[in-house]
mmCIF file of all heavy atoms in Angstrom:
data_model
loop_
_atom_site.group_PDB
_atom_site.id
_atom_site.type_symbol
_atom_site.label_atom_id
_atom_site.label_comp_id
_atom_site.label_asym_id
_atom_site.label_seq_id
_atom_site.Cartn_x
_atom_site.Cartn_y
_atom_site.Cartn_z
ATOM 1 N N MET A 29 22.377 -32.485 117.128
ATOM 2 C CA MET A 29 23.781 -32.884 117.236
ATOM 3 C C MET A 29 23.915 -34.182 118.025
ATOM 4 O O MET A 29 24.693 -35.069 117.648
ATOM 5 C CB MET A 29 24.595 -31.765 117.899
ATOM 6 C CG MET A 29 26.089 -32.048 117.943
ATOM 7 S SD MET A 29 26.857 -32.134 116.299
ATOM 8 C CE MET A 29 26.900 -30.396 115.862
ATOM 9 N N THR A 30 23.178 -34.314 119.105
ATOM 10 C CA THR A 30 23.247 -35.538 119.894
ATOM 11 C C THR A 30 22.800 -36.743 119.060
ATOM 12 O O THR A 30 23.419 -37.810 119.131
ATOM 13 C CB THR A 30 22.354 -35.400 121.138
ATOM 14 O OG1 THR A 30 22.767 -34.257 121.889
ATOM 15 C CG2 THR A 30 22.490 -36.625 122.020
ATOM 16 N N ASP A 31 21.749 -36.568 118.276
ATOM 17 C CA ASP A 31 21.294 -37.664 117.412
ATOM 18 C C ASP A 31 22.367 -38.040 116.379
ATOM 19 O O ASP A 31 22.588 -39.224 116.117
ATOM 20 C CB ASP A 31 20.007 -37.255 116.696
ATOM 21 C CG ASP A 31 18.815 -37.180 117.632
ATOM 22 O OD1 ASP A 31 18.902 -37.725 118.753
ATOM 23 O OD2 ASP A 31 17.789 -36.562 117.249
ATOM 24 N N SER A 32 23.017 -37.028 115.808
ATOM 25 C CA SER A 32 24.044 -37.312 114.797
ATOM 26 C C SER A 32 25.215 -38.088 115.394
ATOM 27 O O SER A 32 25.855 -38.897 114.704
ATOM 28 C CB SER A 32 24.548 -35.999 114.179
ATOM 29 O OG SER A 32 23.560 -35.390 113.400
ATOM 30 N N LEU A 33 25.493 -37.831 116.668
ATOM 31 C CA LEU A 33 26.627 -38.503 117.325
ATOM 32 C C LEU A 33 26.264 -39.870 117.865
ATOM 33 O O LEU A 33 27.109 -40.537 118.469
ATOM 34 C CB LEU A 33 27.153 -37.613 118.450
ATOM 35 C CG LEU A 33 27.873 -36.326 118.020
ATOM 36 C CD1 LEU A 33 28.067 -35.406 119.198
ATOM 37 C CD2 LEU A 33 29.221 -36.669 117.383
ATOM 38 N N ALA A 34 25.041 -40.316 117.643
ATOM 39 C CA ALA A 34 24.597 -41.584 118.233
ATOM 40 C C ALA A 34 25.421 -42.776 117.767
ATOM 41 O O ALA A 34 25.574 -43.759 118.503
ATOM 42 C CB ALA A 34 23.112 -41.810 117.915
ATOM 43 N N SER A 35 25.963 -42.710 116.541
ATOM 44 C CA SER A 35 26.729 -43.835 116.027
ATOM 45 C C SER A 35 28.185 -43.846 116.506
ATOM 46 O O SER A 35 28.916 -44.807 116.245
ATOM 47 C CB SER A 35 26.701 -43.828 114.495
ATOM 48 O OG SER A 35 27.322 -42.646 113.998
ATOM 49 N N PHE A 36 28.621 -42.799 117.195
ATOM 50 C CA PHE A 36 30.002 -42.747 117.663
ATOM 51 C C PHE A 36 30.245 -43.879 118.648
ATOM 52 O O PHE A 36 29.453 -44.085 119.587
ATOM 53 C CB PHE A 36 30.275 -41.390 118.331
ATOM 54 C CG PHE A 36 31.678 -41.241 118.841
ATOM 55 C CD1 PHE A 36 32.763 -41.223 117.970
ATOM 56 C CD2 PHE A 36 31.930 -41.152 120.203
ATOM 57 C CE1 PHE A 36 34.047 -41.090 118.438
ATOM 58 C CE2 PHE A 36 33.216 -41.020 120.704
ATOM 59 C CZ PHE A 36 34.281 -40.989 119.806
ATOM 60 N N PRO A 37 31.342 -44.654 118.490
ATOM 61 C CA PRO A 37 31.531 -45.848 119.327
ATOM 62 C C PRO A 37 31.943 -45.548 120.767
ATOM 63 O O PRO A 37 31.863 -46.438 121.624
ATOM 64 C CB PRO A 37 32.637 -46.612 118.594
ATOM 65 C CG PRO A 37 33.368 -45.574 117.791
ATOM 66 C CD PRO A 37 32.328 -44.568 117.400
ATOM 67 N N VAL A 40 29.252 -40.527 124.606
ATOM 68 C CA VAL A 40 28.769 -39.200 124.225
ATOM 69 C C VAL A 40 27.990 -38.660 125.408
ATOM 70 O O VAL A 40 26.905 -39.146 125.742
ATOM 71 C CB VAL A 40 27.879 -39.253 122.963
ATOM 72 C CG1 VAL A 40 27.344 -37.857 122.657
ATOM 73 C CG2 VAL A 40 28.654 -39.788 121.783
ATOM 74 N N ARG A 142 32.978 -43.300 112.440
ATOM 75 C CA ARG A 142 31.562 -43.167 112.780
ATOM 76 C C ARG A 142 31.337 -41.926 113.642
ATOM 77 O O ARG A 142 30.549 -41.939 114.596
ATOM 78 C CB ARG A 142 31.038 -44.426 113.475
ATOM 79 C CG ARG A 142 30.933 -45.626 112.519
ATOM 80 C CD ARG A 142 30.260 -46.794 113.187
ATOM 81 N NE ARG A 142 31.156 -47.417 114.162
ATOM 82 C CZ ARG A 142 30.768 -48.189 115.164
ATOM 83 N NH1 ARG A 142 29.467 -48.423 115.344
ATOM 84 N NH2 ARG A 142 31.624 -48.724 115.997
ATOM 85 N N THR A 144 30.079 -38.179 113.410
ATOM 86 C CA THR A 144 29.351 -37.160 112.659
ATOM 87 C C THR A 144 29.054 -36.002 113.584
ATOM 88 O O THR A 144 28.007 -35.963 114.239
ATOM 89 C CB THR A 144 28.044 -37.731 112.068
ATOM 90 O OG1 THR A 144 28.318 -38.905 111.330
ATOM 91 C CG2 THR A 144 27.382 -36.703 111.146
#
Side-chain angles (χ1 to χ4, degrees):
M29 185 64 75
T30 304
D31 289 344
S32 291
L33 290 167
S35 62
F36 180 66
V40 177
R142 289 186 287 159
T144 307

